[in-house]
Amino acid sequence: MSLRTEEFVVNVGPQHPSTHGVFRMRFTLDGEIVKDVEPIFGYLHRGVEKLMEMRTYKQGIPMTDRLDYVSAINNNWPYVLAVEELAGISVPQRAEFMRVIMSEMQRISSHILAVGSQMNDMGSFYTVFMYMFREREKLTDLMEMVTGQRMMYNYMRFGGVSMDFPAEFVPQLKKFIKVFPKYMAEYEDMLYDNEIFLARTKGVGCFKPEDAINISTSGPVLRSTGVDYDLRRDKPYSVYDKFEFDVPVGKNGDVYDRVWVRMEEMKQSVRIIEQALDMMPGGNRFCSKVPVALHIPEGFTYKEIESPRGMLGCYLESDGSDKPYRCHFRAPAFINLTALKTMLVGQKLADAIIIFGSVDLSMGEVDR
Amino acid sequence: MDDAVLVTTIGATPWYENFWVHLAIGAVVAIAFFFFFIVMYIWTERRVIGLFQGRLGPNRVGPLGLIQSVADVIKVMFKEDIVPDKSDKLLFWLAPFMAFVPVMMILAVVPFSENFQIVNLNVGILYVLAVSAISSIGVFMSGYAGNNKYGLIGGMRGLAQFISYEIPLILSLASLVLISNTFSVNGLVQAQTLPNILMMPLAFVVYFVASLAEISRTPFDIVECDSEIVAGFNIEYSSMKFAMLYLVEYGEAVVTSVLVATLFLGGWHGFFIDGPIPLIIKMVLVFLFILWIRATLPRLRVDQSMGFCWKFLLPVALVNLLFTAARMTFFPDLSNWIVIPASFVFTAIVIYLFAGLFKPGRKVAEND
Amino acid sequence: MTKKIYEELQENCECARICGDYAEIVPDSLPDCALFLKDNGYDYLDMITASDHIDEFILTYTFKNLKDKDDVMLRASVSRENPEIPSLSNIWIGADFQERELYDLMGIIFTGHNNLKRIVLWDGFEGHPQRKDYKNVA
């Protein structure tokens, strides 16, 4: 008598403690090995692109904040860049540096959340998460000092930013930058020396560079496989060509490399913020004059920036009126999600959750 | 050996040595001890893990949040008791009891002081091992009876882990029995002129790690990992049955810490006074150590946990037993001053050698 | 000033015209153009999007050359009555979800796609919300 085994279908989500957001996966399992995975999403679809067509250009800026709510400031940027190019608005230097400083702070805080919740998925029960969130809380307080908001900042405007830095912001930021490397050393201690962490992340979810390019992944997922491409260095926008920073590139494309790339990127962000604070011109010109009812000549453009999750782009088409004709966002998390099937098939179920966490999705961006 | 407590002659005995009176008092004491310490453990866990993570634990209900557990129990009792339609009704009702009651039964042989224990069984160790195995069946039953894939996966993982880790557990206890010459628990305590942890550190390490796995605590808590399979085996339970399954985890922690304190740390022997107070202090110290491990380490994957048992813990336990037997046969009267340092050196050598044999990670790809 | 790659593209595939920094192509020649670009180093498909111009849909494709740090943009126009264009999901897996999203929201049919069903909206939804004639929006 032979034993008959069959595959069974397990549904993970949409409500689940470890899917970051409302996301559903249907695994076809054979014992513990994943044979197939089908991602199902759309639970957070709000029709942002259609809604932006009904609102003026300026009213669209808060809508972009809600796309990738974890790193909200970075979402304003490609939209604002696209409008500035079509309308021919120039940005004062001081405002450019302010944009860079806020975006890099947001990058640190987004990576803290990514690595912290990755450790959480592995079962370390919030300890590492809580330690890392101590720093994120300080960053959020600093952002609240500038923008008045803790999450949906609505900070950038066409031609600059919405308000100047208050007087107490720069000294506090400098204090934070001085102290942060010591905390980074603490996190590295907690992660890289932990035998169980290494056992669960090295060699798990390997991803080849040819596959990474074919699937159009970007950001840490692409750089962890060994492909050296970062928009800030290779196609610099704003004032990124003035800074000196490295781009961390991984070797194997496994989960460990992605965590390592994110930790190193945090250090590089600190370098950029230091240089930006030194180079920032004084004065108080933080925004060019832009008419209230902004009409933009006909045309289309596509602008991209490097957000913590990958290459975030905005395709903007205008028909001469004061509302966008078509605004589409190239969401990096949406496209990185395509890689999930390649990475997960053949792995165990317990690893599947960890690999999924390392892709670092933000459902607001995936569903738009 | 000093006076045995249990007197079974009927008739001309004083009332406090009457079998039934003794049994009644003992039962009340054991149940009170058990429940009191479960409640204290739940409170300790939440506050101490909060301290590890830089936050307060419960601090609203009562002074220092002491009455939090009572509030939780009242809340759970008022919830609706849902029984899934397709579940196996008999097993569904039976499973929590089957998981909970054997854990309490272990306290029957633990000596609380030199003269007081409920039953002075002369095969106490065998009784403990036999009874603790029953609760694992209860856990698996609860996973199976809920007719839920997550529960089934959790139950099967738990059963596999429990059965595997029983073997190193028994082997380390066997070496204890060899040096103390008795199976009864009170006899083991009385034979400890020096605590067994000094005489046999390797047996302590093996026993401690194996019992962490038995009670499904981090890093072996794949059974109930709430970030992967939601809640594991108790996913379909609500209200009082869920409370019983939840108490099983803490009950097992109480019993494990009592057993470690009794078998390895000297039981009711104390510095100035003997009796239940030193036992309680040692028990709480062991529990704090278990908590420390929970707050720090992430969890192992199920195949890594199995590999750790069969490839590392079992050979180490066998080596320990072999050397203990050799020592008792050839050098039965060695002085303590030689035995203790030699044991520590032996422990260090064995663990170092065997750790080289077992690597929990996977081999990484060639370009590392 | 047109880029060299656009001139090569015009020689090898059916290109309607080159306009500055993008090229307009005939929809049916899309796979040939894409494969030509892939063979010449532009092997990273960046973005696929579409917009509704009442009589026609205009699709925009961007490709990147990661080594030379360069971009190429192609535009194709399909009619409203018959919005069909060959799919790129057999060459680039990254096109998979983006094409499904455009089918879902705009109703453009990508022929050759092996799983063209709705992705962000639920399966029973009627209509294509991103089109300009879709009513019932706030």
Side-chain angles (χ1 to χ4, degrees):
Chain A
M1 182 181 89
S2 67
L3 215 52
R4 186 182 68 108
T5 59
E6 60 180 41
E7 303 174 343
F8 66 102
V9 175
V10 169
N11 194 23
V12 173
Q15 287 147 322
H16 190 95
S18 75
T19 57
H20 305 159
V22 201
F23 180 70
R24 182 172 158 212
M25 287 189 279
R26 285 182 58 145
F27 287 106
T28 307
L29 294 176
D30 178 18
E32 283 260 342
I33 311 276
V34 175
K35 285 276 182 272
D36 190 18
V37 62
E38 185 194 335
I40 302 169
F41 43 89
Y43 295 93
L44 206 51
H45 178 74
R46 297 148 289 179
V48 165
E49 298 178 354
K50 181 77 176 179
L51 288 175
M52 284 178 81
E53 291 175 15
M54 315 266 154
R55 283 151 177 75
T56 64
Y57 285 99
K58 196 162 177 198
Q59 286 173 328
I61 300 181
M63 306 216 76
T64 62
D65 268 320
R66 272 112 182 119
L67 285 180
D68 175 9
Y69 39 78
V70 176
S71 62
I73 285 194
N74 292 359
N75 298 345
N76 300 125
W77 215 344
Y79 177 66
V80 161
L81 279 180
V83 168
E84 284 167 2
E85 175 173 314
L86 282 182
I89 305 172
S90 70
V91 182
Q93 280 291 82
R94 184 175 163 80
E96 296 273 26
F97 280 95
M98 285 157 84
R99 283 179 178 179
V100 166
I101 291 175
M102 295 296 275
S103 290
E104 292 301 322
M105 279 167 64
Q106 187 74 66
R107 189 183 308 266
I108 298 177
S109 117
S110 169
H111 282 326
I112 285 181
L113 189 137
V115 176
S117 36
Q118 172 98 65
M119 279 303 277
N120 217 15
D121 287 342
M122 273 192 257
S124 103
F125 195 62
Y126 293 106
T127 307
V128 180
F129 185 82
M130 282 286 164
Y131 280 31
M132 295 183 103
F133 260 57
R134 225 178 21 202
E135 267 57 60
R136 189 171 194 261
E137 193 62 26
K138 291 182 196 158
L139 279 170
T140 315
D141 283 342
L142 284 170
M143 305 239 204
E144 190 184 352
M145 214 190 280
V146 176
T147 63
Q149 281 268 31
R150 281 171 64 90
M151 200 166 170
M152 310 291 187
Y153 307 103
N154 190 17
Y155 186 55
M156 298 199 188
R157 296 281 182 270
F158 309 126
V161 294
S162 68
M163 36 196 139
D164 203 349
F165 287 163
E168 61 269 11
F169 176 71
V170 174
Q172 293 229 13
L173 183 58
K174 286 198 169 134
K175 207 161 62 159
F176 176 80
I177 297 288
K178 223 159 62 137
V179 165
F180 192 64
K182 178 174 75 105
Y183 289 120
M184 280 292 294
E186 193 181 286
Y187 303 152
E188 291 186 340
D189 258 346
M190 279 196 280
L191 289 180
Y192 299 152
D193 286 336
N194 191 335
E195 170 100 22
I196 299 186
F197 170 77
L198 292 175
R200 289 209 73 180
T201 57
K202 269 204 188 280
V204 170
C206 281
F207 197 42
K208 294 201 278 292
E210 303 83 45
D211 284 336
I213 294 182
N214 193 299
I215 304 183
S216 309
T217 50
S218 54
V221 178
L222 179 67
R223 287 196 283 278
S224 74
T225 61
V227 177
D228 189 5
Y229 191 74
D230 184 335
L231 274 178
R232 292 175 292 169
R233 180 199 57 191
D234 297 327
K235 301 207 72 179
Y237 48 96
S238 182
V239 285
Y240 273 107
D241 44 0
K242 297 197 167 71
F243 301 122
E244 188 188 303
F245 60 97
D246 303 318
V247 173
V249 174
K251 283 190 289 244
N252 293 318
D254 54 8
V255 173
Y256 177 78
D257 273 342
R258 276 173 234 144
V259 174
W260 180 84
V261 163
R262 290 193 178 108
M263 297 286 277
E264 295 293 313
E265 275 188 13
M266 280 201 260
K267 292 187 198 160
Q268 299 303 320
S269 289
V270 170
R271 270 175 86 180
I272 297 179
I273 298 183
E274 268 173 350
Q275 296 170 37
L277 282 174
D278 288 332
M279 287 196 234
M280 190 160 81
N284 58 357
R285 273 209 74 204
F286 58 88
C287 193
S288 313
K289 279 267 177 261
V290 166
V292 171
L294 181 67
H295 284 256
I296 292 186
E298 270 188 58
F300 68 91
T301 181
Y302 175 63
K303 294 301 250 184
E304 280 185 317
I305 62 142
E306 181 83 20
S307 94
R309 278 163 185 80
M311 291 195 292
L312 176 65
C314 175
Y315 168 82
L316 186 65
E317 202 173 307
S318 149
D319 62 348
S321 73
D322 62 344
K323 299 188 169 59
Y325 189 77
R326 171 82 166 117
C327 181
H328 171 78
F329 287 92
R330 184 233 192 242
F334 183 58
I335 300 177
N336 287 353
L337 197 52
T338 326
L340 209 61
K341 189 154 175 181
T342 317
M343 282 198 260
L344 282 185
V345 170
Q347 307 281 341
K348 300 193 175 53
L349 180 61
D351 285 337
I353 306 290
I354 294 192
I355 297 171
F356 171 72
S358 77
V359 173
D360 191 19
L361 299 178
S362 161
M363 292 317 287
E365 200 170 52
V366 171
D367 292 336
R368 261 162 291 134
Chain B
M1 264 185 53
D2 255 336
D3 29 74
V5 184
L6 182 61
V7 179
T8 49
T9 56
I10 331 168
T13 56
W15 69 272
Y16 49 82
E17 284 182 6
N18 186 323
F19 172 70
W20 296 106
V21 171
H22 178 87
L23 187 63
I25 298 179
V28 166
V29 165
I31 295 181
F33 180 85
F34 189 61
F35 279 104
F36 175 71
F37 271 101
I38 289 185
V39 169
M40 282 314 292
Y41 272 21
I42 298 180
W43 176 81
T44 312
E45 166 151 5
R46 289 166 76 166
R47 292 285 301 194
V48 169
I49 290 197
L51 273 181
F52 273 109
Q53 296 175 350
R55 57 182 177 92
L56 301 170
N59 56 356
R60 296 267 168 225
V61 190
L64 289 182
L66 278 167
I67 321 187
Q68 180 74 46
S69 313
V70 176
D72 283 338
V73 166
I74 297 178
K75 170 199 82 165
V76 158
M77 282 203 297
F78 277 116
K79 287 202 178 193
E80 183 187 346
D81 197 20
I82 305 176
V83 177
D85 199 29
K86 294 216 176 78
S87 64
D88 192 327
K89 298 285 189 314
L90 174 65
L91 291 183
F92 195 78
W93 279 91
L94 193 57
F97 295 98
M98 198 140 158
F100 188 63
V101 170
V103 176
M104 219 178 352
M105 282 165 63
I106 296 181
L107 283 180
V109 291
V110 166
F112 292 107
S113 87
E114 200 169 339
N115 300 324
F116 182 71
Q117 60 196 59
I118 304 177
V119 180
N120 187 11
L121 215 49
N122 59 349
V123 284
I125 295 284
L126 287 187
Y127 167 82
V128 163
L129 291 170
V131 160
S132 65
I134 302 181
S135 82
S136 70
I137 303 184
V139 162
F140 178 57
M141 221 197 260
S142 65
Y144 168 78
N147 194 35
N148 185 322
K149 282 171 198 149
Y150 285 142
L152 191 62
I153 297 180
M156 285 199 288
R157 284 176 172 179
L159 195 62
Q161 189 175 265
F162 193 94
I163 300 178
S164 310
Y165 277 91
E166 264 191 333
I167 302 182
L169 194 86
I170 297 177
L171 287 175
S172 67
L173 285 182
S175 55
L176 261 193
V177 163
L178 268 182
I179 56 170
S180 313
N181 255 332
T182 167
F183 269 103
S184 104
V185 183
N186 202 9
L188 276 173
V189 177
Q190 285 173 338
Q192 287 184 53
T193 42
L194 281 177
N196 274 334
I197 186 175
L198 292 177
M199 307 284 285
M200 316 205 59
L202 192 55
F204 172 74
V205 167
V206 171
Y207 182 82
F208 188 72
V209 174
S211 37
L212 265 188
E214 299 271 286
I215 61 180
S216 303
R217 276 261 168 185
T218 322
F220 303 105
D221 64 347
I222 44 174
V223 186
E224 62 199 21
C225 47
D226 50 8
S227 67
E228 288 174 28
I229 47 176
V230 193
F233 62 95
N234 52 10
I235 193 172
E236 288 289 344
Y237 284 88
S238 58
S239 184
M240 269 325 276
K241 296 202 272 291
F242 172 74
M244 290 187 90
L245 285 176
Y246 186 65
L247 289 182
V248 164
E249 182 188 338
Y250 287 98
E252 285 181 324
V254 168
V255 163
T256 298
S257 47
V258 163
L259 280 176
V260 169
T262 311
L263 297 171
F264 285 96
L265 293 180
W268 43 257
H269 288 292
F271 275 125
F272 300 115
I273 41 168
D274 288 348
I277 308 269
L279 178 65
I280 291 177
I281 295 179
K282 290 172 195 172
M283 214 173 95
V284 173
L285 283 177
V286 171
F287 183 65
L288 286 179
F289 189 54
I290 296 180
L291 273 191
W292 190 3
I293 297 181
R294 178 180 195 193
T296 321
L297 293 176
R299 74 173 65 94
L300 288 174
R301 207 173 52 217
V302 61
D303 66 321
Q304 290 167 342
S305 161
M306 292 295 135
F308 181 73
C309 170
W310 292 101
K311 295 185 202 166
F312 179 75
L313 221 50
L314 179 61
V316 167
L318 278 174
V319 163
N320 179 43
L321 185 61
L322 190 65
F323 272 82
T324 311
R327 173 166 81 87
M328 293 311 288
T329 313
F330 297 122
F331 307 106
D333 299 317
L334 220 45
S335 140
N336 278 342
W337 290 108
I338 304 183
V339 166
I340 295 182
S343 301
F344 276 92
V345 169
F346 171 68
T347 305
I349 294 178
V350 166
I351 292 187
Y352 181 71
L353 282 179
F354 277 92
L357 280 181
F358 174 74
K359 287 251 177 286
R362 204 178 304 186
K363 297 211 183 325
V364 191
E366 62 285 348
N367 46 349
D368 190 11
Chain C
M1 187 183 71
T2 56
K3 281 196 266 205
K4 201 164 143 315
I5 184 71
Y6 287 125
E7 286 162 8
E8 287 176 28
L9 191 67
Q10 203 169 31
E11 287 162 28
N12 285 308
C13 312
E14 259 186 75
C15 222
R17 55 189 178 122
I18 304 178
C19 333
D21 27 306
Y22 67 94
E24 288 191 4
I25 59 169
V26 176
D28 288 329
S29 73
L30 178 66
D32 297 325
C33 295
L35 279 171
F36 174 78
L37 285 173
K38 190 174 182 188
D39 293 332
N40 278 311
Y42 290 82
D43 56 356
Y44 187 90
L45 170 67
D46 198 10
M47 174 196 67
I48 308 176
T49 187
S51 72
D52 180 358
H53 283 257
I54 316 297
D55 311 324
E56 54 181 3
F57 294 112
I58 298 190
L59 288 113
T60 309
Y61 291 76
T62 46
F63 298 88
K64 272 181 155 32
N65 186 335
L66 297 181
K67 293 194 182 38
D68 299 337
K69 333 274 191 216
D70 197 20
D71 303 345
V72 161
M73 186 188 280
L74 299 179
R75 294 192 111 202
S77 156
V78 291
S79 68
R80 201 189 185 83
E81 298 79 36
N82 193 20
E84 284 186 5
I85 190 168
S87 159
L88 287 182
S89 61
N90 304 318
I91 318 171
W92 277 281
I93 306 181
D96 186 356
F97 280 11
Q98 301 193 70
E99 290 179 350
R100 273 178 71 182
E101 186 197 359
L102 284 178
Y103 164 69
D104 188 2
L105 295 177
M106 282 274 202
I108 300 177
I109 312 232
F110 291 87
T111 55
H113 194 288
N114 58 355
N115 189 20
L116 198 67
K117 46 179 208 186
R118 287 192 181 265
I119 190 169
V120 280
L121 295 169
W122 61 95
D123 281 331
F125 193 87
E126 282 184 18
H128 297 283
Q130 196 77 42
R131 290 190 177 184
K132 286 291 177 186
D133 55 356
Y134 184 82
K135 294 293 174 232
N136 196 22
V137 182

